[in-house]
């Protein structure tokens, strides 16, 4: 399933995903997880909220063997403007056949990265699959995510819901920037616009949806930086204390 959107870039769309937050942020070095429902044959836009408790945040370590064979992860490269596609396939590793993720040990899903997950019908016997995103709750004080010109598939860096208007990424808007939030059947799109509101010219998001647009735990979104403005660093202060 693909749609050609956003200045000719092939954007994968996601059906509505049910979110269940089960982690508690209460002390230093807290382990947590987010429980996601992944419907069969529907693309789901998610993000990784946690630091690795194992070796690293590669697709192979995060996804493990939770999804059926032929499941896919689409990781966006904002510089190259393309996807790395990791597929859970059966491979011959002498002397055995094993199931593993192609490109899974070289593709990273870092905190603040958005990505897509797709479970096709080929080997999926269930209607829905549970995906547990596990790790250590970030306790880094601040997060810094580079935003480049063009499309960025990103997410809030901490495992709490947040309204877009409260985020530094939307505060650094330039005229022409856009936010794309998937809502299950289409995108809610906000465009940074310069307009006259007597007696002054103002720059803000139109329609003014960011005041109420909430990004849930484990949910990603697109930020499109206009080519007329340089990229920037999206900085967020940790919204909780683990002390």
């Amino acid at each position: 399933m693909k749609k050609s959107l956003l200045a000719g870039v092939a954007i994968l769309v996601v059906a509505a995903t049910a979110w269940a937050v089960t982690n508690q942020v209460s002390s230093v070095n807290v382990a947590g997880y987010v429980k996601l429902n992944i419907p069969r044959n529907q693309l789901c836009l998610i993000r990784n909220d946690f630091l690795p408790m194992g070796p690293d945040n590669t697709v192979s370590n995060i996804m493990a063997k939770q999804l059926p064979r032929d499941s896919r992860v689409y990781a966006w490269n904002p510089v190259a403007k393309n996807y790395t596609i990791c597929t859970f396939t059966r491979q011959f590793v002498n002397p055995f056949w094993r199931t593993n993720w192609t490109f899974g040990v070289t593709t990273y899903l870092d905190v603040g990265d958005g990505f897509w997950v797709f479970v096709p019908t080929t080997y999926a016997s269930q209607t829905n699959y549970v995906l547990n995103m596990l790790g250590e709750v970030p306790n880094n004080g601040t997060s810094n995510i580079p935003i480049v010109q063009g499309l960025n598939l990103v997410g809030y860096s901490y495992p709490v819901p947040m309204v877009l208007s409260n985020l530094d990424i939307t505060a650094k808007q330039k005229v022409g920037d856009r936010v794309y939030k998937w809502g299950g059947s289409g995108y809610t799109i906000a465009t940074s616009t310069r307009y006259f509101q007597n007696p002054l010219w103002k720059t803000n998001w139109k329609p003014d949806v960011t005041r109420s647009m909430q990004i849930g735990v484990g949910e990603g979104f697109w930020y499109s930086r206009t080519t007329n403005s340089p990229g920037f660093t999206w900085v967020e202060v940790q919204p909780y204390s683990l002390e």
Side-chain angles (χ1 to χ4, degrees):
M1 179 194 305
K2 287 188 179 181
K3 270 192 177 178
S4 182
L5 293 176
L6 310 187
V9 178
I11 300 303
L12 302 172
V13 295
V14 56
T17 302
W19 312 98
V21 184
T22 53
N23 59 291
Q24 289 290 325
V25 178
S26 57
S27 63
V28 177
N29 297 325
V30 171
Y33 68 95
V34 177
K35 191 174 184 180
L36 298 91
N37 177 52
I38 308 296
R40 179 178 61 191
N41 208 37
Q42 296 180 6
L43 282 150
C44 299
L45 175 56
I46 63 179
R47 74 171 190 252
N48 175 35
D49 280 334
F50 303 109
L51 300 171
M53 298 191 74
D56 49 44
N57 274 351
T58 59
V59 169
S60 293
N61 287 333
I62 291 177
M63 308 303 290
K65 300 181 183 296
Q66 300 184 71
L67 300 177
R69 182 177 164 190
D70 206 32
S71 296
R72 295 157 203 172
V73 168
Y74 297 81
W76 178 251
N77 184 323
V79 177
K81 307 299 182 188
N82 58 25
Y83 288 106
T84 297
I85 304 174
C86 303
T87 306
F88 195 50
T89 61
R90 198 158 186 255
Q91 308 164 8
F92 183 73
V93 181
N94 193 27
F96 302 110
W97 283 93
R98 299 181 180 181
T99 306
N100 212 333
W101 293 91
T102 58
F103 306 111
V105 297
T106 57
T107 303
Y108 290 80
L109 304 175
D110 293 321
V111 175
D113 288 345
F115 59 96
W116 302 90
V117 174
F118 180 63
V119 176
T121 58
T122 316
Y123 297 100
S125 58
Q126 301 172 204
T127 304
N128 294 279
Y129 289 84
V130 173
L131 176 62
N132 290 304
M133 303 289 289
L134 312 172
E136 182 181 333
V137 177
N139 189 27
N140 50 6
T142 60
S143 71
N144 298 273
I145 299 176
I147 301 297
V148 303
Q149 289 181 331
L151 290 169
N152 301 265
L153 187 53
V154 293
Y156 185 54
S157 298
Y158 299 101
V160 296
M162 188 64 67
V163 176
L164 267 174
S165 60
N166 294 332
L167 299 181
D168 174 66
I169 191 172
T170 54
K172 291 178 175 175
Q173 63 181 290
K174 294 293 184 182
V175 174
D177 285 7
R178 291 183 178 179
V179 173
Y180 297 80
K181 182 183 185 298
W182 183 250
S185 59
Y187 285 105
T188 299
I189 304 172
T191 303
S192 181
T193 307
R194 185 168 170 77
Y195 59 96
F196 183 74
Q197 183 172 318
N198 193 27
L200 302 171
W201 283 90
K202 296 185 177 181
T203 300
N204 213 332
W205 298 95
K206 292 291 184 179
D208 190 11
V209 293
T210 58
R211 293 185 183 278
S212 59
M213 185 187 288
Q214 187 173 77
I215 301 299
V217 175
E219 183 179 8
F221 62 94
W222 291 99
Y223 191 94
S224 177
R225 182 63 160 184
T226 174
T227 55
N228 297 323
S229 300
F232 62 92
T233 300
W234 173 15
V235 180
E236 292 294 343
V237 177
Q238 182 175 311
Y240 48 75
S241 174
L242 300 185
E243 299 302 327

